[in-house]
Amino acid sequence: MGEFPKIHNTDEIPGEAPQVIENAINVFKQLPGIGDRTARRIIYWLLGQPGEKLEEFISALEELKNSVKICSVCFNVSITDPCHICANPERDHSVICVVAEPQDIAAIESTRIYDGVYHVLGGLLDAMRGIGPEDLHIAELVQRAAQPEVKEIILALDPSNEGETTARHIAKLLKDVDVKVTILAQGISAGTALEFADPRTLSAALTNRTELK
Amino acid sequence: MIISVELKNFRNFAYARAELDERVNIVFGPNGYGKSNFLEALYVCGFGRSFRGSGQQIVRFDADFARVVAKNPQHETLEAVFLPNGAKNFILNSKRLPRLRDLLGKFPTIYVGPDEVNIVAGSPSKRRNFLDFTISQYDPVYVSELGAYVKSVAQRNSALRGVAEGEIAGGMVLIETIDEQVAHHGAQVLATRNRFLRMISPLATEIFAAISGIERRLDIEYLSTAADNPDDPELERVYFERLCARRKSDLKTFQTAIGPHRDDIEIYLGNLPAKKFASWGQVRMISLALHLAAARILEEKIGRTPTVLFDDALAELDPQRAHSVLEIAPQFGQIVVATPHPEHLIEDAKIFRLAEAGKIVEEK
């Protein structure tokens, strides 16, 4: 069978927007949580904006690209290396809080009760997506944990299956290292009534109950 | 228990409504008129899914949605909505249930269909389903442990493949970690199933004696692929060690060959394996006894009367036996029977007749 001739001798796909617009949509679709429809909305919104608005976006992205670095100690995103947390002598460098992603640091920082330092793994172990120990900053964490001034490692990972695997894995690697390894407690979220808590959370909260007296 | 049910665009029912008797309901009519569909509508209230697997054809041909509305004596109204694309929604007392498992135990249900009535001799997966579907309705921790177990095994299988094909760097250590995780959750699943069997055996023995007239003990043994003794206090450790020992051969198949997903139960009637030694009729009565015992456990655990669905399950018994099953069954739950021959079943039951395909009429 021979090749069928092209009906439209053009790169434009009938019924779709011009290729430059489709390209931009495809780029935005790569963003987390953005599907085809949202990407389309964003692009058409941008197209309706004055030129300086677009410049604002472009320069913000450019600035990101040019000035953001990855901290060589904790792998947080920062504009300095080491990052402002690692470089801060006021912080307690004997406690390391381990998180999956840099944005998790913001969540912990917002509590304002933690004054230790961090370690960003860059994800969670997930064999189904082919993510193994060497794809994450686990070896670097083990190295840091072995330093004599480090007393405690706090694992602040999602209470998901992947989070559990990652926590178990780190705990195993640190078995012979003289450091305390703790994990965030799972419990009832603030502001909810006990009767509405799901059984899994409630059973975890019961198991990890704290002494009052 | 379901007091009333309303079907809209559900399979071959354009619209149907039935007020159910709290003891025995008999749905009869020729094959193809929708007896099983009616039972299926009651089933989805219990489990949020069909016993037929894929939810695609639940919506009546050409309709935009299917809906089942059921009420229970606890003043709860459940609305189950199915869309043609397979999406579904469950609304309890006007509040959407965020997860399917929030539905479990609200309308406790025991289903006995053609496969279930042959549970003694049928495939092991049917016996595992019997355990999982029953326990899940009263034990939410089991639901999450089973979920975590299934996910961990999937992770392990992916890790096995990843390591064998050299795609996951540092994978061997990862497998060991996942093995710990699999053993941790698997041991919980195994122990809970074992406790359930301990509870159900004496009950099933009594019920079996009542429906068959045979005074022989029913014993159920849990056959674990992960540990020789499911009562081992060191279960998790034993399980983990066996998993480690399997690793080499599992690396060739990318499959986890041991664990609750491969386990089975053996049912003994008077110390002999029922699968081999019980008669055809006994095998069926053992199954019915097991399901009624499961209904009793549900009632005791959650304090709600379960709905027991007999989907053509009594048809194979001789009339006298079927009659005695129905005499006893109402003690264990609200009974709904689908059968092509209602004549000789039971006197004081509510009878629903399928007058034509998708049309249900209350007879008395």
Side-chain angles (χ1 to χ4, degrees), chain B residues 32-276:
Chain B
Y33 274 27
K35 296 187 300 287
S36 287
N37 295 349
F38 184 74
L39 260 58
E40 183 184 19
L42 303 176
Y43 184 97
V44 297
C45 298
F47 296 102
R49 46 181 262 195
S50 166
F51 49 71
R52 288 183 166 123
S54 151
Q56 292 286 332
Q57 309 101 332
I58 279 186
V59 184
R60 191 167 179 262
F61 177 70
D62 260 2
D64 298 328
F65 65 91
R67 186 170 59 210
V68 178
V69 181
K71 289 186 183 185
N72 64 19
Q74 284 78 25
H75 300 285
E76 286 171 331
T77 302
L78 175 74
E79 197 185 333
V81 182
F82 301 85
L83 301 181
N85 64 8
K88 48 190 179 179
N89 248 316
F90 293 88
I91 299 138
L92 189 70
N93 283 351
S94 317
K95 255 184 82 179
R96 198 177 155 263
L97 295 175
R99 292 158 312 180
L100 214 53
R101 66 180 192 210
D102 297 325
L103 182 61
L104 294 171
K106 301 285 186 215
F107 290 79
T109 304
I110 298 287
Y111 174 75
V112 194
D115 283 331
E116 287 74 15
V117 84
N118 192 27
I119 192 176
V120 175
S123 81
S125 70
K126 296 293 172 192
R127 287 186 284 277
R128 288 192 293 267
N129 281 352
F130 171 67
L131 302 179
D132 292 343
F133 288 17
T134 308
I135 302 170
S136 294
Q137 290 186 78
Y138 70 79
D139 186 350
V141 175
Y142 184 76
V143 177
S144 57
E145 285 298 331
L146 186 62
Y149 171 74
V150 169
K151 198 138 188 237
S152 306
V153 169
Q155 284 284 358
R156 184 175 189 267
N157 295 345
S158 296
L160 290 167
R161 183 181 291 272
V163 167
E165 293 174 354
E167 276 166 14
I168 299 179
M172 278 314 272
V173 208
L174 176 61
I175 291 180
E176 196 179 310
T177 303
I178 298 176
D179 282 355
E180 281 175 21
Q181 200 171 349
V182 168
H184 176 75
H185 296 297
Q188 311 273 338
V189 169
L190 208 155
T192 307
R193 284 180 178 179
N194 195 38
R195 275 199 303 274
F196 171 76
L197 292 182
R198 199 78 46 72
M199 267 192 297
I200 203 173
S201 297
L203 259 170
T205 301
E206 254 178 74
I207 301 169
F208 178 70
I211 54 182
S212 68
I214 301 169
E215 301 267 346
R216 249 181 279 165
R217 245 177 69 165
L218 273 179
D219 285 301
I220 312 172
E221 189 191 356
Y222 192 85
L223 304 176
S224 171
T225 49
D228 294 327
N229 172 17
D231 293 314
D232 200 324
E234 295 276 312
L235 190 59
E236 187 175 331
R237 189 183 52 80
V238 172
Y239 188 150
F240 174 68
E241 280 165 8
R242 192 172 287 190
L243 208 49
C244 293
R246 289 278 332 171
R247 203 175 293 153
K248 219 170 147 188
S249 55
D250 285 352
L251 271 167
K252 292 189 189 110
T253 56
F254 317 142
Q255 293 290 324
T256 299
I258 60 165
H261 66 296
R262 294 281 173 91
D263 289 352
D264 199 353
I265 56 176
E266 183 76 62
I267 299 160
Y268 296 90
L269 179 62
N271 295 324
L272 293 173
K275 200 187 294 183
K276 286 192 199 117

Side-chain angles (χ1 to χ4, degrees), chain A residues 125-135 160-162 164-170 172-173 196 198-200 203, chain B residues 95 99 101 140-141 144 148 151-152 154-155 158-159 167-171 173-174 176-178 180-181 184-185:
Chain A
L125 291 174
D126 188 350
M128 277 148 117
R129 288 170 51 218
I131 302 171
E134 288 176 20
D135 298 314
S160 61
N161 191 274
E162 294 77 13
E164 187 195 335
T165 311
T166 313
R168 280 176 182 278
H169 192 76
I170 293 171
K172 194 164 64 185
L173 296 179
F196 297 126
D198 72 287
R200 190 177 185 175
S203 71
Chain B
K95 255 184 82 179
R99 292 158 312 180
R101 66 180 192 210
V141 175
S144 57
K151 198 138 188 237
S152 306
Q155 284 284 358
S158 296
E167 276 166 14
I168 299 179
V173 208
L174 176 61
E176 196 179 310
T177 303
I178 298 176
E180 281 175 21
Q181 200 171 349
H184 176 75
H185 296 297

Side-chain angles (χ1 to χ4, degrees), chain B residues 313-331:
Chain B
L314 304 177
E316 293 178 339
L317 293 179
D318 63 72
Q320 191 196 329
R321 290 256 182 268
H323 192 270
S324 71
V325 169
L326 279 191
E327 294 268 86
I328 293 164
Q331 300 171 43

Side-chain angles (χ1 to χ4, degrees), chain A residues 18-124:
Chain A
Q19 200 60 50
V20 272
I21 295 183
E22 289 298 330
N23 287 347
I25 289 168
N26 288 335
V27 170
F28 273 68
K29 259 161 55 178
Q30 297 167 26
L31 295 170
I34 304 290
D36 187 73
R37 282 175 59 143
T38 317
R40 224 161 264 278
R41 264 182 66 197
I42 292 173
I43 295 300
Y44 280 102
W45 180 84
L46 285 172
L47 286 173
Q49 300 303 307
E52 52 266 36
K53 194 81 191 168
L54 286 182
E55 285 301 332
E56 214 180 296
F57 277 84
I58 292 164
S59 69
L61 286 175
E62 224 153 23
E63 220 172 310
L64 268 184
K65 190 182 92 180
N66 295 334
S67 59
V68 173
K69 300 178 180 66
I70 302 293
C71 172
S72 57
V73 181
C74 73
F75 303 98
N76 187 12
V77 288
S78 171
I79 43 169
T80 55
D81 182 19
C83 73
H84 66 287
I85 296 175
C86 288
N88 185 349
E90 303 285 301
R91 310 246 350 176
D92 183 354
H93 288 252
S94 73
V95 186
I96 301 175
C97 179
V98 180
V99 294
E101 304 287 354
Q103 60 264 38
D104 297 332
I105 291 183
I108 305 253
E109 283 293 286
S110 71
T111 66
R112 299 185 191 280
I113 61 164
Y114 180 69
D115 73 339
V117 291
Y118 292 94
H119 188 90
V120 180
L121 294 174
L124 294 172

Side-chain angles (χ1 to χ4, degrees), chain B residues 7 10-16 27-41 52 60 311-312 338-341 352-361 363:
Chain B
L7 283 62
F10 189 91
R11 300 244 185 222
N12 67 340
F13 290 94
Y15 179 82
V27 184
F28 83 100
N31 288 327
Y33 274 27
K35 296 187 300 287
S36 287
N37 295 349
F38 184 74
L39 260 58
E40 183 184 19
R52 288 183 166 123
R60 191 167 179 262
D311 192 1
D312 247 355
T339 175
H341 328 284
F352 296 93
R353 184 167 63 92
L354 283 153
E356 54 186 271
K359 196 143 211 120
I360 196 161
V361 182
E363 292 266 291

